[in-house]
Amino acid sequence: MSRKSNLTLIVMGLWVLALALAPSVLGNYEVRIAISIAMFTALALSWNIIGGFTGYPSFSTAAFYGIGCYVGALAQRSGVPAALAWVAAAAFVGGVSFALGAIVLRLKGHYFAIGSIALVDISRLVISSWGSVTGGGNGLNVPLLQGRPPEVSALVLYVMLGIMVLAFVTNVIVDRTRLGFGLRCIDQNEDAADMVGIDTTRYKIAAFVLSAIFPGAVGAVYASWVGYIDPTDSFDILTTVKVPVMAMLGGAGTLLGPVVGAFSFVMLEEIFWANFLEWNRAIMGAIVVVLIFFLPGGILRLDWKRILRRLSERSKSKGSAKE
């Protein structure tokens, strides 16, 4: 294992530890932010498998997240314990993504992006129309987790951290195995990868399923936390846009990129909501534009040594000029 790989694992371990300590040293508001960071990091790491390694612009995260919300909620309402409901939601979403992946992954480029967005709308319409089971547009009440609010928040944080760690470990395994090599070949040139014997269809479906399982689990846990879900919030198209932006902000296709990007995006969003409520979405849209045009490789792919060297040279030149 290389020194860079060891550093990546150490940084991630310290970050998980820092978030896990939040309930012990911080207030309820900060714990809620920690939950959001862990939740979106798990979603960004999941997207990284299909969007970062494979290069397929997937916008279907909200579909799998929303399905996970409803499967977990319906399971709990049927008397299934919360933990088993979360696992069942992840397994169900994995099966759905396997079936859908065999269809939607026949598309490429912009066509795949449009098809993946369609999955979100189709899922929302199905849930909204199936009122006898899902409650339709009126939403669905979910059995609340037992305990005092601080205890429930701490439990949700630890579960979200567990999902986040599993998503990160999955990224590490994919990155270091033949699957990751095949996915990167598909990203570089899918036709050439197919010609040299890589089963591109099987690899893409595997990446699609792995990118769906964790959002399904996250959705189920979130439903248990808030106690109420409806089609509009569960299948929010903004969620499926924000997640790729987080991964690209940090550096899509890297192990720590989604982690850095999710943290940066959540903190920026909190700052803008608190100080620029009316302009929040306009500012976040401007960030997306800047990211696409001026930071295509993400924060981690910047040449930080060169940037720090230039800043040091400028500070020295200013100091000598004053003298």
Side-chain angles (χ1 to χ4, degrees), residues 102-139:
I103 301 171
V104 74
L105 287 168
R106 296 176 182 272
L107 304 173
K108 297 180 182 180
H110 301 303
Y111 298 105
F112 173 79
I114 295 170
S116 63
I117 292 175
L119 292 180
V120 180
D121 286 331
I122 292 171
S123 301
R124 181 171 59 244
L125 288 173
V126 170
I127 294 296
S128 299
S129 302
W130 204 1
S132 59
V133 176
T134 65
N138 293 324

PDB file of all heavy atoms in Angstrom, residues 102-139:
ATOM      1  N   ALA A 102     -30.126  -2.358 -16.485  1.00  0.00           N
ATOM      2  CA  ALA A 102     -30.062  -3.135 -17.728  1.00  0.00           C
ATOM      3  C   ALA A 102     -30.749  -2.408 -18.879  1.00  0.00           C
ATOM      4  O   ALA A 102     -30.449  -2.665 -20.051  1.00  0.00           O
ATOM      5  CB  ALA A 102     -30.711  -4.497 -17.518  1.00  0.00           C
ATOM      6  N   ILE A 103     -31.636  -1.467 -18.545  1.00  0.00           N
ATOM      7  CA  ILE A 103     -32.360  -0.715 -19.576  1.00  0.00           C
ATOM      8  C   ILE A 103     -31.707   0.639 -19.840  1.00  0.00           C
ATOM      9  O   ILE A 103     -31.324   0.957 -20.963  1.00  0.00           O
ATOM     10  CB  ILE A 103     -33.829  -0.509 -19.150  1.00  0.00           C
ATOM     11  CG1 ILE A 103     -34.513  -1.860 -18.935  1.00  0.00           C
ATOM     12  CG2 ILE A 103     -34.578   0.326 -20.185  1.00  0.00           C
ATOM     13  CD1 ILE A 103     -35.887  -1.763 -18.315  1.00  0.00           C
ATOM     14  N   VAL A 104     -31.555   1.431 -18.774  1.00  0.00           N
ATOM     15  CA  VAL A 104     -31.112   2.813 -18.951  1.00  0.00           C
ATOM     16  C   VAL A 104     -29.643   2.902 -19.355  1.00  0.00           C
ATOM     17  O   VAL A 104     -29.218   3.875 -20.007  1.00  0.00           O
ATOM     18  CB  VAL A 104     -31.380   3.623 -17.660  1.00  0.00           C
ATOM     19  CG1 VAL A 104     -30.387   3.250 -16.561  1.00  0.00           C
ATOM     20  CG2 VAL A 104     -31.329   5.119 -17.922  1.00  0.00           C
ATOM     21  N   LEU A 105     -28.835   1.896 -19.003  1.00  0.00           N
ATOM     22  CA  LEU A 105     -27.415   1.938 -19.339  1.00  0.00           C
ATOM     23  C   LEU A 105     -27.141   1.612 -20.805  1.00  0.00           C
ATOM     24  O   LEU A 105     -25.991   1.622 -21.239  1.00  0.00           O
ATOM     25  CB  LEU A 105     -26.625   0.987 -18.435  1.00  0.00           C
ATOM     26  CG  LEU A 105     -26.463   1.470 -16.993  1.00  0.00           C
ATOM     27  CD1 LEU A 105     -25.933   0.369 -16.099  1.00  0.00           C
ATOM     28  CD2 LEU A 105     -25.552   2.696 -16.929  1.00  0.00           C
ATOM     29  N   ARG A 106     -28.201   1.327 -21.550  1.00  0.00           N
ATOM     30  CA  ARG A 106     -28.035   1.219 -23.004  1.00  0.00           C
ATOM     31  C   ARG A 106     -27.820   2.594 -23.628  1.00  0.00           C
ATOM     32  O   ARG A 106     -27.331   2.712 -24.748  1.00  0.00           O
ATOM     33  CB  ARG A 106     -29.262   0.554 -23.624  1.00  0.00           C
ATOM     34  CG  ARG A 106     -29.474  -0.890 -23.188  1.00  0.00           C
ATOM     35  CD  ARG A 106     -30.753  -1.462 -23.771  1.00  0.00           C
ATOM     36  NE  ARG A 106     -30.998  -2.828 -23.329  1.00  0.00           N
ATOM     37  CZ  ARG A 106     -30.521  -3.901 -23.946  1.00  0.00           C
ATOM     38  NH1 ARG A 106     -29.785  -3.765 -25.046  1.00  0.00           N
ATOM     39  NH2 ARG A 106     -30.776  -5.107 -23.472  1.00  0.00           N
ATOM     40  N   LEU A 107     -28.200   3.623 -22.884  1.00  0.00           N
ATOM     41  CA  LEU A 107     -28.018   5.004 -23.343  1.00  0.00           C
ATOM     42  C   LEU A 107     -26.638   5.503 -22.940  1.00  0.00           C
ATOM     43  O   LEU A 107     -26.042   5.026 -21.971  1.00  0.00           O
ATOM     44  CB  LEU A 107     -29.092   5.906 -22.725  1.00  0.00           C
ATOM     45  CG  LEU A 107     -30.550   5.491 -22.965  1.00  0.00           C
ATOM     46  CD1 LEU A 107     -31.482   6.375 -22.149  1.00  0.00           C
ATOM     47  CD2 LEU A 107     -30.891   5.573 -24.451  1.00  0.00           C
ATOM     48  N   LYS A 108     -26.148   6.495 -23.665  1.00  0.00           N
ATOM     49  CA  LYS A 108     -24.833   7.059 -23.376  1.00  0.00           C
ATOM     50  C   LYS A 108     -24.898   8.584 -23.400  1.00  0.00           C
ATOM     51  O   LYS A 108     -25.786   9.171 -24.019  1.00  0.00           O
ATOM     52  CB  LYS A 108     -23.791   6.579 -24.399  1.00  0.00           C
ATOM     53  CG  LYS A 108     -23.549   5.079 -24.403  1.00  0.00           C
ATOM     54  CD  LYS A 108     -22.509   4.698 -25.441  1.00  0.00           C
ATOM     55  CE  LYS A 108     -22.290   3.194 -25.481  1.00  0.00           C
ATOM     56  NZ  LYS A 108     -21.273   2.800 -26.494  1.00  0.00           N
ATOM     57  N   GLY A 109     -23.929   9.195 -22.720  1.00  0.00           N
ATOM     58  CA  GLY A 109     -23.789  10.645 -22.761  1.00  0.00           C
ATOM     59  C   GLY A 109     -25.027  11.382 -22.297  1.00  0.00           C
ATOM     60  O   GLY A 109     -25.619  11.077 -21.260  1.00  0.00           O
ATOM     61  N   HIS A 110     -25.432  12.390 -23.083  1.00  0.00           N
ATOM     62  CA  HIS A 110     -26.579  13.224 -22.716  1.00  0.00           C
ATOM     63  C   HIS A 110     -27.866  12.408 -22.656  1.00  0.00           C
ATOM     64  O   HIS A 110     -28.749  12.700 -21.839  1.00  0.00           O
ATOM     65  CB  HIS A 110     -26.743  14.365 -23.716  1.00  0.00           C
ATOM     66  CG  HIS A 110     -25.540  15.253 -23.813  1.00  0.00           C
ATOM     67  ND1 HIS A 110     -25.018  15.893 -22.720  1.00  0.00           N
ATOM     68  CD2 HIS A 110     -24.765  15.611 -24.872  1.00  0.00           C
ATOM     69  CE1 HIS A 110     -23.965  16.612 -23.084  1.00  0.00           C
ATOM     70  NE2 HIS A 110     -23.789  16.450 -24.392  1.00  0.00           N
ATOM     71  N   TYR A 111     -27.973  11.382 -23.485  1.00  0.00           N
ATOM     72  CA  TYR A 111     -29.176  10.548 -23.479  1.00  0.00           C
ATOM     73  C   TYR A 111     -29.306   9.798 -22.151  1.00  0.00           C
ATOM     74  O   TYR A 111     -30.402   9.650 -21.607  1.00  0.00           O
ATOM     75  CB  TYR A 111     -29.140   9.566 -24.652  1.00  0.00           C
ATOM     76  CG  TYR A 111     -29.121  10.245 -25.997  1.00  0.00           C
ATOM     77  CD1 TYR A 111     -27.956  10.315 -26.758  1.00  0.00           C
ATOM     78  CD2 TYR A 111     -30.277  10.838 -26.506  1.00  0.00           C
ATOM     79  CE1 TYR A 111     -27.935  10.952 -27.987  1.00  0.00           C
ATOM     80  CE2 TYR A 111     -30.271  11.478 -27.739  1.00  0.00           C
ATOM     81  CZ  TYR A 111     -29.096  11.525 -28.479  1.00  0.00           C
ATOM     82  OH  TYR A 111     -29.080  12.164 -29.688  1.00  0.00           O
ATOM     83  N   PHE A 112     -28.161   9.318 -21.638  1.00  0.00           N
ATOM     84  CA  PHE A 112     -28.194   8.646 -20.339  1.00  0.00           C
ATOM     85  C   PHE A 112     -28.569   9.633 -19.238  1.00  0.00           C
ATOM     86  O   PHE A 112     -29.340   9.304 -18.325  1.00  0.00           O
ATOM     87  CB  PHE A 112     -26.837   8.020 -20.025  1.00  0.00           C
ATOM     88  CG  PHE A 112     -26.749   7.461 -18.628  1.00  0.00           C
ATOM     89  CD1 PHE A 112     -27.317   6.236 -18.327  1.00  0.00           C
ATOM     90  CD2 PHE A 112     -26.110   8.171 -17.614  1.00  0.00           C
ATOM     91  CE1 PHE A 112     -27.251   5.714 -17.034  1.00  0.00           C
ATOM     92  CE2 PHE A 112     -26.038   7.667 -16.332  1.00  0.00           C
ATOM     93  CZ  PHE A 112     -26.610   6.434 -16.039  1.00  0.00           C
ATOM     94  N   ALA A 113     -28.021  10.849 -19.289  1.00  0.00           N
ATOM     95  CA  ALA A 113     -28.337  11.866 -18.279  1.00  0.00           C
ATOM     96  C   ALA A 113     -29.836  12.151 -18.258  1.00  0.00           C
ATOM     97  O   ALA A 113     -30.458  12.214 -17.190  1.00  0.00           O
ATOM     98  CB  ALA A 113     -27.552  13.145 -18.570  1.00  0.00           C
ATOM     99  N   ILE A 114     -30.433  12.308 -19.448  1.00  0.00           N
ATOM    100  CA  ILE A 114     -31.869  12.567 -19.525  1.00  0.00           C
ATOM    101  C   ILE A 114     -32.665  11.367 -19.015  1.00  0.00           C
ATOM    102  O   ILE A 114     -33.652  11.512 -18.292  1.00  0.00           O
ATOM    103  CB  ILE A 114     -32.274  12.908 -20.981  1.00  0.00           C
ATOM    104  CG1 ILE A 114     -31.611  14.225 -21.405  1.00  0.00           C
ATOM    105  CG2 ILE A 114     -33.792  12.995 -21.128  1.00  0.00           C
ATOM    106  CD1 ILE A 114     -31.749  14.527 -22.882  1.00  0.00           C
ATOM    107  N   GLY A 115     -32.221  10.162 -19.396  1.00  0.00           N
ATOM    108  CA  GLY A 115     -32.904   8.957 -18.928  1.00  0.00           C
ATOM    109  C   GLY A 115     -32.849   8.811 -17.424  1.00  0.00           C
ATOM    110  O   GLY A 115     -33.826   8.385 -16.789  1.00  0.00           O
ATOM    111  N   SER A 116     -31.705   9.157 -16.826  1.00  0.00           N
ATOM    112  CA  SER A 116     -31.581   9.041 -15.372  1.00  0.00           C
ATOM    113  C   SER A 116     -32.455  10.068 -14.658  1.00  0.00           C
ATOM    114  O   SER A 116     -33.013   9.777 -13.592  1.00  0.00           O
ATOM    115  CB  SER A 116     -30.110   9.194 -14.953  1.00  0.00           C
ATOM    116  OG  SER A 116     -29.613  10.483 -15.290  1.00  0.00           O
ATOM    117  N   ILE A 117     -32.592  11.264 -15.228  1.00  0.00           N
ATOM    118  CA  ILE A 117     -33.509  12.260 -14.656  1.00  0.00           C
ATOM    119  C   ILE A 117     -34.950  11.768 -14.750  1.00  0.00           C
ATOM    120  O   ILE A 117     -35.754  11.952 -13.834  1.00  0.00           O
ATOM    121  CB  ILE A 117     -33.357  13.610 -15.379  1.00  0.00           C
ATOM    122  CG1 ILE A 117     -31.983  14.220 -15.078  1.00  0.00           C
ATOM    123  CG2 ILE A 117     -34.451  14.587 -14.952  1.00  0.00           C
ATOM    124  CD1 ILE A 117     -31.692  15.492 -15.840  1.00  0.00           C
ATOM    125  N   ALA A 118     -35.271  11.103 -15.869  1.00  0.00           N
ATOM    126  CA  ALA A 118     -36.626  10.567 -16.048  1.00  0.00           C
ATOM    127  C   ALA A 118     -36.969   9.551 -14.966  1.00  0.00           C
ATOM    128  O   ALA A 118     -38.132   9.439 -14.554  1.00  0.00           O
ATOM    129  CB  ALA A 118     -36.756   9.943 -17.434  1.00  0.00           C
ATOM    130  N   LEU A 119     -35.968   8.804 -14.492  1.00  0.00           N
ATOM    131  CA  LEU A 119     -36.222   7.828 -13.426  1.00  0.00           C
ATOM    132  C   LEU A 119     -36.760   8.515 -12.170  1.00  0.00           C
ATOM    133  O   LEU A 119     -37.609   7.952 -11.466  1.00  0.00           O
ATOM    134  CB  LEU A 119     -34.941   7.074 -13.085  1.00  0.00           C
ATOM    135  CG  LEU A 119     -34.384   6.122 -14.139  1.00  0.00           C
ATOM    136  CD1 LEU A 119     -33.106   5.460 -13.631  1.00  0.00           C
ATOM    137  CD2 LEU A 119     -35.409   5.056 -14.500  1.00  0.00           C
ATOM    138  N   VAL A 120     -36.278   9.719 -11.898  1.00  0.00           N
ATOM    139  CA  VAL A 120     -36.745  10.462 -10.727  1.00  0.00           C
ATOM    140  C   VAL A 120     -38.211  10.829 -10.889  1.00  0.00           C
ATOM    141  O   VAL A 120     -39.032  10.610  -9.989  1.00  0.00           O
ATOM    142  CB  VAL A 120     -35.893  11.738 -10.506  1.00  0.00           C
ATOM    143  CG1 VAL A 120     -36.388  12.500  -9.286  1.00  0.00           C
ATOM    144  CG2 VAL A 120     -34.423  11.378 -10.342  1.00  0.00           C
ATOM    145  N   ASP A 121     -38.573  11.372 -12.052  1.00  0.00           N
ATOM    146  CA  ASP A 121     -39.961  11.780 -12.293  1.00  0.00           C
ATOM    147  C   ASP A 121     -40.903  10.581 -12.329  1.00  0.00           C
ATOM    148  O   ASP A 121     -42.013  10.628 -11.789  1.00  0.00           O
ATOM    149  CB  ASP A 121     -40.054  12.555 -13.607  1.00  0.00           C
ATOM    150  CG  ASP A 121     -39.473  13.958 -13.496  1.00  0.00           C
ATOM    151  OD1 ASP A 121     -39.522  14.517 -12.384  1.00  0.00           O
ATOM    152  OD2 ASP A 121     -38.963  14.476 -14.500  1.00  0.00           O
ATOM    153  N   ILE A 122     -40.471   9.508 -12.956  1.00  0.00           N
ATOM    154  CA  ILE A 122     -41.313   8.305 -13.029  1.00  0.00           C
ATOM    155  C   ILE A 122     -41.542   7.732 -11.631  1.00  0.00           C
ATOM    156  O   ILE A 122     -42.672   7.359 -11.269  1.00  0.00           O
ATOM    157  CB  ILE A 122     -40.664   7.247 -13.943  1.00  0.00           C
ATOM    158  CG1 ILE A 122     -40.667   7.739 -15.394  1.00  0.00           C
ATOM    159  CG2 ILE A 122     -41.396   5.920 -13.838  1.00  0.00           C
ATOM    160  CD1 ILE A 122     -39.860   6.871 -16.340  1.00  0.00           C
ATOM    161  N   SER A 123     -40.487   7.681 -10.833  1.00  0.00           N
ATOM    162  CA  SER A 123     -40.623   7.165  -9.459  1.00  0.00           C
ATOM    163  C   SER A 123     -41.578   8.021  -8.650  1.00  0.00           C
ATOM    164  O   SER A 123     -42.430   7.506  -7.903  1.00  0.00           O
ATOM    165  CB  SER A 123     -39.253   7.113  -8.782  1.00  0.00           C
ATOM    166  OG  SER A 123     -38.358   6.288  -9.490  1.00  0.00           O
ATOM    167  N   ARG A 124     -41.465   9.338  -8.789  1.00  0.00           N
ATOM    168  CA  ARG A 124     -42.349  10.238  -8.049  1.00  0.00           C
ATOM    169  C   ARG A 124     -43.804  10.067  -8.487  1.00  0.00           C
ATOM    170  O   ARG A 124     -44.717  10.053  -7.655  1.00  0.00           O
ATOM    171  CB  ARG A 124     -41.914  11.692  -8.253  1.00  0.00           C
ATOM    172  CG  ARG A 124     -42.778  12.681  -7.483  1.00  0.00           C
ATOM    173  CD  ARG A 124     -42.239  14.091  -7.511  1.00  0.00           C
ATOM    174  NE  ARG A 124     -42.130  14.589  -8.868  1.00  0.00           N
ATOM    175  CZ  ARG A 124     -40.981  14.898  -9.446  1.00  0.00           C
ATOM    176  NH1 ARG A 124     -39.848  14.742  -8.787  1.00  0.00           N
ATOM    177  NH2 ARG A 124     -40.954  15.354 -10.682  1.00  0.00           N
ATOM    178  N   LEU A 125     -44.023   9.904  -9.798  1.00  0.00           N
ATOM    179  CA  LEU A 125     -45.390   9.717 -10.295  1.00  0.00           C
ATOM    180  C   LEU A 125     -45.992   8.410  -9.795  1.00  0.00           C
ATOM    181  O   LEU A 125     -47.176   8.354  -9.438  1.00  0.00           O
ATOM    182  CB  LEU A 125     -45.386   9.747 -11.829  1.00  0.00           C
ATOM    183  CG  LEU A 125     -45.154  11.112 -12.475  1.00  0.00           C
ATOM    184  CD1 LEU A 125     -45.013  10.980 -13.984  1.00  0.00           C
ATOM    185  CD2 LEU A 125     -46.303  12.064 -12.141  1.00  0.00           C
ATOM    186  N   VAL A 126     -45.206   7.347  -9.772  1.00  0.00           N
ATOM    187  CA  VAL A 126     -45.695   6.055  -9.282  1.00  0.00           C
ATOM    188  C   VAL A 126     -46.090   6.160  -7.813  1.00  0.00           C
ATOM    189  O   VAL A 126     -47.166   5.696  -7.391  1.00  0.00           O
ATOM    190  CB  VAL A 126     -44.629   4.956  -9.476  1.00  0.00           C
ATOM    191  CG1 VAL A 126     -45.038   3.678  -8.754  1.00  0.00           C
ATOM    192  CG2 VAL A 126     -44.417   4.675 -10.958  1.00  0.00           C
ATOM    193  N   ILE A 127     -45.224   6.771  -7.003  1.00  0.00           N
ATOM    194  CA  ILE A 127     -45.509   6.919  -5.574  1.00  0.00           C
ATOM    195  C   ILE A 127     -46.733   7.803  -5.360  1.00  0.00           C
ATOM    196  O   ILE A 127     -47.594   7.506  -4.511  1.00  0.00           O
ATOM    197  CB  ILE A 127     -44.286   7.500  -4.838  1.00  0.00           C
ATOM    198  CG1 ILE A 127     -43.109   6.514  -4.863  1.00  0.00           C
ATOM    199  CG2 ILE A 127     -44.646   7.862  -3.397  1.00  0.00           C
ATOM    200  CD1 ILE A 127     -43.362   5.225  -4.144  1.00  0.00           C
ATOM    201  N   SER A 128     -46.845   8.879  -6.127  1.00  0.00           N
ATOM    202  CA  SER A 128     -47.977   9.794  -5.977  1.00  0.00           C
ATOM    203  C   SER A 128     -49.287   9.138  -6.386  1.00  0.00           C
ATOM    204  O   SER A 128     -50.345   9.406  -5.795  1.00  0.00           O
ATOM    205  CB  SER A 128     -47.744  11.058  -6.821  1.00  0.00           C
ATOM    206  OG  SER A 128     -46.584  11.747  -6.404  1.00  0.00           O
ATOM    207  N   SER A 129     -49.242   8.281  -7.402  1.00  0.00           N
ATOM    208  CA  SER A 129     -50.459   7.645  -7.925  1.00  0.00           C
ATOM    209  C   SER A 129     -50.907   6.452  -7.083  1.00  0.00           C
ATOM    210  O   SER A 129     -52.088   6.104  -7.071  1.00  0.00           O
ATOM    211  CB  SER A 129     -50.230   7.188  -9.367  1.00  0.00           C
ATOM    212  OG  SER A 129     -49.851   8.271 -10.191  1.00  0.00           O
ATOM    213  N   TRP A 130     -49.995   5.827  -6.373  1.00  0.00           N
ATOM    214  CA  TRP A 130     -50.296   4.621  -5.606  1.00  0.00           C
ATOM    215  C   TRP A 130     -50.732   5.004  -4.185  1.00  0.00           C
ATOM    216  O   TRP A 130     -50.162   4.594  -3.186  1.00  0.00           O
ATOM    217  CB  TRP A 130     -49.057   3.729  -5.562  1.00  0.00           C
ATOM    218  CG  TRP A 130     -49.355   2.294  -5.318  1.00  0.00           C
ATOM    219  CD1 TRP A 130     -50.573   1.700  -5.154  1.00  0.00           C
ATOM    220  CD2 TRP A 130     -48.377   1.247  -5.175  1.00  0.00           C
ATOM    221  NE1 TRP A 130     -50.438   0.360  -4.927  1.00  0.00           N
ATOM    222  CE2 TRP A 130     -49.098   0.049  -4.947  1.00  0.00           C
ATOM    223  CE3 TRP A 130     -46.988   1.208  -5.248  1.00  0.00           C
ATOM    224  CZ2 TRP A 130     -48.459  -1.171  -4.766  1.00  0.00           C
ATOM    225  CZ3 TRP A 130     -46.361   0.005  -5.068  1.00  0.00           C
ATOM    226  CH2 TRP A 130     -47.082  -1.173  -4.837  1.00  0.00           C
ATOM    227  N   GLY A 131     -51.765   5.813  -4.134  1.00  0.00           N
ATOM    228  CA  GLY A 131     -52.189   6.392  -2.866  1.00  0.00           C
ATOM    229  C   GLY A 131     -52.633   5.393  -1.835  1.00  0.00           C
ATOM    230  O   GLY A 131     -52.481   5.616  -0.618  1.00  0.00           O
ATOM    231  N   SER A 132     -53.217   4.266  -2.244  1.00  0.00           N
ATOM    232  CA  SER A 132     -53.710   3.278  -1.284  1.00  0.00           C
ATOM    233  C   SER A 132     -52.585   2.664  -0.442  1.00  0.00           C
ATOM    234  O   SER A 132     -52.818   2.177   0.664  1.00  0.00           O
ATOM    235  CB  SER A 132     -54.457   2.162  -2.021  1.00  0.00           C
ATOM    236  OG  SER A 132     -53.600   1.522  -2.955  1.00  0.00           O
ATOM    237  N   VAL A 133     -51.373   2.705  -0.965  1.00  0.00           N
ATOM    238  CA  VAL A 133     -50.231   2.121  -0.253  1.00  0.00           C
ATOM    239  C   VAL A 133     -49.304   3.201   0.295  1.00  0.00           C
ATOM    240  O   VAL A 133     -48.873   3.146   1.451  1.00  0.00           O
ATOM    241  CB  VAL A 133     -49.432   1.175  -1.182  1.00  0.00           C
ATOM    242  CG1 VAL A 133     -48.189   0.653  -0.467  1.00  0.00           C
ATOM    243  CG2 VAL A 133     -50.308   0.022  -1.646  1.00  0.00           C
ATOM    244  N   THR A 134     -49.012   4.193  -0.535  1.00  0.00           N
ATOM    245  CA  THR A 134     -48.009   5.200  -0.184  1.00  0.00           C
ATOM    246  C   THR A 134     -48.587   6.480   0.413  1.00  0.00           C
ATOM    247  O   THR A 134     -47.828   7.333   0.870  1.00  0.00           O
ATOM    248  CB  THR A 134     -47.187   5.577  -1.423  1.00  0.00           C
ATOM    249  OG1 THR A 134     -48.057   6.211  -2.385  1.00  0.00           O
ATOM    250  CG2 THR A 134     -46.568   4.345  -2.063  1.00  0.00           C
ATOM    251  N   GLY A 135     -49.907   6.611   0.380  1.00  0.00           N
ATOM    252  CA  GLY A 135     -50.500   7.849   0.872  1.00  0.00           C
ATOM    253  C   GLY A 135     -50.596   8.926  -0.187  1.00  0.00           C
ATOM    254  O   GLY A 135     -51.170   9.986   0.053  1.00  0.00           O
ATOM    255  N   GLY A 136     -50.014   8.668  -1.359  1.00  0.00           N
ATOM    256  CA  GLY A 136     -50.083   9.625  -2.460  1.00  0.00           C
ATOM    257  C   GLY A 136     -49.498  10.970  -2.104  1.00  0.00           C
ATOM    258  O   GLY A 136     -48.498  11.073  -1.391  1.00  0.00           O
ATOM    259  N   GLY A 137     -50.162  12.023  -2.572  1.00  0.00           N
ATOM    260  CA  GLY A 137     -49.679  13.380  -2.315  1.00  0.00           C
ATOM    261  C   GLY A 137     -49.802  13.810  -0.873  1.00  0.00           C
ATOM    262  O   GLY A 137     -49.192  14.808  -0.467  1.00  0.00           O
ATOM    263  N   ASN A 138     -50.602  13.095  -0.076  1.00  0.00           N
ATOM    264  CA  ASN A 138     -50.761  13.448   1.338  1.00  0.00           C
ATOM    265  C   ASN A 138     -49.560  13.027   2.180  1.00  0.00           C
ATOM    266  O   ASN A 138     -49.438  13.426   3.332  1.00  0.00           O
ATOM    267  CB  ASN A 138     -52.021  12.788   1.904  1.00  0.00           C
ATOM    268  CG  ASN A 138     -53.281  13.346   1.284  1.00  0.00           C
ATOM    269  OD1 ASN A 138     -53.360  14.539   0.995  1.00  0.00           O
ATOM    270  ND2 ASN A 138     -54.267  12.484   1.064  1.00  0.00           N
ATOM    271  N   GLY A 139     -48.712  12.204   1.617  1.00  0.00           N
ATOM    272  CA  GLY A 139     -47.527  11.778   2.350  1.00  0.00           C
ATOM    273  C   GLY A 139     -47.794  10.603   3.264  1.00  0.00           C
ATOM    274  O   GLY A 139     -48.876  10.008   3.268  1.00  0.00           O
TER     275      GLY A 139
END
